[in-house]
Amino acid sequence: MKNKNSVALTPPMGWNSWDCYGAAVNEEQLIGNAEYIRDNLKQYGWQYVVCDIQWYEPKAKDNFYNNFTELCMDEYSRLIPAENRFPSSAGGKGFKPIADKIHLMGLKFGIHIMRGIPRQAVHGNTKILGTDKTARDIAHHFSVCPWNTDMYGVDTSKEGAQEYYNSLFSLYADWGVDFVKVDDIANTEYKPYDPYSAKSEIEMIRRAIDNCGRDMVLSLSPGPAPVSAAGHLSQYANMWRITGDFWDVWDKLYEMFSRTEQWYPYVKEGCWPDCDMLPLGNVSVNGACHGSQNRFTQFTEDEQITMMTLWSIFRSPLMLGGELRNNDDFTLWLITNGEVLDVNQHSHSAHPVVKLGDIIMWEALSGKNEPIIAVFNTGSDKKTVTVNLKKLGLDGNFVLRDLWQRKDAAEITGKFKTEVNSHGAKLFLLKR
């Protein structure tokens, strides 16, 4: 097997269409957000443009799924873009015209797929490319997703199953896909993570990617993936969700402290436990998910800083979820702080070091091996926090740099104090 880690040596950074457009994103929206990244975010490392679920469904219009609806599919049981939503795909071109446009912007293109084979293909008994088997021969009729009716699972023990996945990723390679998010494959609640189901299908997908002739990041959803599977996930995937769908609700953000505490030992090059998308800016344009439709994030500014700080020091992938063209000044400020993003991209050895009441602290090392300290206040009141460097094993004199403010704050020895707003965070670099 080729070194799959080489395609994601740092946590992937980009935009995903789900938080704002749900199941109904279209070509104009994809290209428009890609152009925004090119013009405003590319220089800070944001590069992936990911089309999420249901791009093959002509009738999709919001965040909800149309049960047992007609899908667009080729003669070899492979889903293709709906032409009414992605007009450039007409004539069998698929996503190649969109991918070409995005590549010309210096960006990368990604798609979402569901594990398995379309029920539509099974019921029509359509062909599998490169074999005399059909969709009905490889389908796992009782392996189904409880929240989406499009697919049957693939029985990985059947002849033709690997050829089916090979044909999928060969098609995606022809389109120019750089990132594939595979859904309904990593969540222990929906699909047990055992050798007969998720593990064998993940391995089959990995082989198909390795044989397709194009580098692709493999992202697995939804969460929570089990920590017991960390070794297997690290071997076969680049990203895997450690949580269910994350939205702009404080309780979900607070829960991420315990999830990242479980997963930090498994963060390494090419292997990124994923805290899920960043619901920043204008979200839920097409539907109401954990809040009103077509809203700006419900997180306070301090909560947004907390989220970006935790995702950055933990080194989660960073996938923006809002309609970028509607960003306000604060959102743009938040996602273009190069010093904070450098922590996400180039720090190492992050781990929690303090949990005392409402105060949580993490420590890491920068790419230059200088200490980084994140201080979080999960309580309802502003607090003055004393950071004792000796208790963290840090001796000597330092210049304390506030990474969010992008300025040196003080010269310190032994300890320092900082005020942290309710649900807020501070992020410091200690320079010698």
Side-chain angles (χ1 to χ4, degrees):
M1 185 173 72
K2 66 188 295 186
N3 180 13
K4 57 91 182 171
N5 294 342
S6 63
V7 302
L9 294 177
T10 60
M13 296 171 59
W15 175 84
N16 178 292
S17 62
W18 172 255
D19 280 1
C20 49
Y21 292 113
V25 69
N26 62 36
E27 183 165 345
E28 184 279 329
Q29 292 156 352
L30 277 182
I31 296 300
N33 279 276
E35 291 171 341
Y36 182 95
I37 295 173
R38 175 197 64 194
D39 296 341
N40 300 278
L41 304 180
K42 177 184 169 184
Q43 63 181 304
Y44 299 97
W46 303 94
Q47 62 175 332
Y48 288 94
V49 180
V50 181
C51 180
D52 211 88
I53 197 168
Q54 303 302 120
W55 42 265
Y56 36 79
E57 182 193 340
K59 296 179 181 178
K61 63 181 186 300
D62 51 32
N63 286 65
F64 299 99
Y65 304 121
N66 297 314
N67 291 338
F68 305 105
T69 190
E70 182 180 354
L71 308 177
C72 296
M73 189 179 76
D74 72 7
E75 62 180 307
Y76 295 112
S77 310
R78 302 177 298 186
L79 296 173
I80 57 176
E83 292 181 13
N84 63 318
R85 293 168 54 197
F86 305 96
S88 71
S89 69
K93 296 184 182 71
F95 271 129
K96 182 170 173 47
I98 288 177
D100 286 348
K101 283 186 179 181
I102 288 172
H103 292 153
L104 284 173
M105 299 180 204
L107 305 175
K108 295 183 177 182
F109 176 61
I111 60 173
H112 170 291
I113 66 170
M114 296 292 291
R115 69 170 178 93
I117 190 163
R119 294 189 189 196
Q120 180 175 300
V122 176
H123 298 162
N125 203 27
T126 50
K127 300 175 183 177
I128 303 299
L129 183 66
T131 176
D132 60 358
K133 303 302 179 183
T134 66
R136 198 171 295 171
D137 292 324
I138 69 169
H140 220 322
H141 66 280
F142 58 85
S143 176
V144 295
C145 173
W147 45 267
N148 183 288
T149 59
D150 292 342
M151 313 294 277
Y152 287 116
V154 166
D155 186 338
T156 57
S157 69
K158 294 297 181 66
E159 185 180 346
Q162 183 67 63
E163 287 82 358
Y164 166 69
Y165 270 120
N166 289 349
S167 75
L168 284 186
F169 284 89
S170 176
L171 180 65
Y172 304 156
D174 289 343
W175 288 348
V177 171
D178 306 295
F179 180 110
V180 180
K181 173 183 174 182
V182 184
D183 212 339
D184 188 39
I185 203 165
N187 186 310
T188 53
E189 178 182 357
Y190 293 131
K191 184 175 173 61
Y193 198 101
D194 62 63
Y196 187 59
S197 54
K199 284 187 176 180
S200 57
E201 202 155 1
I202 290 168
E203 291 167 15
M204 192 164 275
I205 290 167
R206 178 77 262 158
R207 287 192 292 272
I209 293 175
D210 290 345
N211 291 327
C212 78
R214 185 177 181 86
D215 288 339
M216 297 181 194
V217 172
L218 176 58
S219 169
L220 304 181
S221 287
V227 177
S228 60
H232 187 269
L233 292 165
S234 296
Q235 184 177 356
Y236 292 98
N238 299 109
M239 298 166 46
W240 54 90
R241 285 264 297 280
I242 64 173
T243 178
D245 283 4
F246 179 81
W247 281 99
D248 48 334
V249 180
W250 169 251
D251 288 350
K252 287 182 174 290
L253 179 51
Y254 181 72
E255 186 183 59
M256 292 307 296
F257 286 100
S258 61
R259 294 194 183 279
T260 52
E261 185 175 356
Q262 289 181 301
W263 277 100
Y264 78 85
Y266 305 101
V267 174
K268 61 182 180 180
E269 286 186 350
C271 306
W272 308 112
D274 180 12
C275 294
D276 200 16
M277 287 174 280
L278 298 160
L280 296 169
N282 185 191
V283 297
S284 285
V285 174
N286 282 342
C289 290
H290 297 279
S292 60
Q293 183 174 352
N294 200 20
R295 66 180 184 272
F296 260 70
T297 184
Q298 298 168 132
F299 282 138
T300 67
E301 290 187 357
D302 283 305
E303 289 167 349
Q304 293 175 64
I305 289 171
T306 288
M307 177 175 61
M308 285 296 294
T309 302
L310 181 59
W311 268 235
S312 292
I313 198 164
F314 175 70
R315 304 196 73 195
S316 172
L318 300 178
M319 287 288 170
L320 300 165
E323 169 49 80
L324 299 176
R325 294 171 291 182
N326 295 338
N327 277 351
D328 59 10
D329 290 342
F330 178 80
T331 305
L332 186 59
W333 171 85
L334 191 74
I335 61 179
T336 56
N337 185 318
E339 296 187 40
V340 173
L341 294 175
D342 186 69
V343 174
N344 175 265
Q345 292 292 289
H346 301 297
S347 66
H348 63 94
S349 305
H351 59 284
V353 290
V354 172
K355 190 177 190 307
L356 186 61
D358 296 326
I359 302 303
I360 297 171
M361 295 186 202
W362 279 64
E363 183 182 359
L365 292 173
S366 75
K368 297 179 180 179
N369 290 318
E370 294 176 312
I372 299 168
I373 296 175
V375 185
F376 302 94
N377 175 12
T378 64
S380 56
D381 300 304
K382 179 186 286 188
K383 288 182 169 61
T384 299
V385 180
T386 299
V387 180
N388 190 318
L389 300 182
K390 290 186 177 181
K391 287 187 177 180
L392 300 180
L394 300 174
D395 292 318
N397 303 322
F398 298 93
V399 175
L400 186 69
R401 184 166 182 81
D402 186 324
L403 297 184
W404 277 113
Q405 296 304 316
R406 305 187 219 191
K407 64 180 183 182
D408 293 344
E411 294 185 7
I412 58 171
T413 303
K415 61 183 178 181
F416 67 92
K417 292 184 178 181
T418 184
E419 282 195 341
V420 188
N421 291 340
S422 168
H423 292 189
K426 295 287 185 70
L427 185 62
F428 298 106
L429 176 69
L430 278 60
K431 302 189 300 181
R432 293 195 183 274

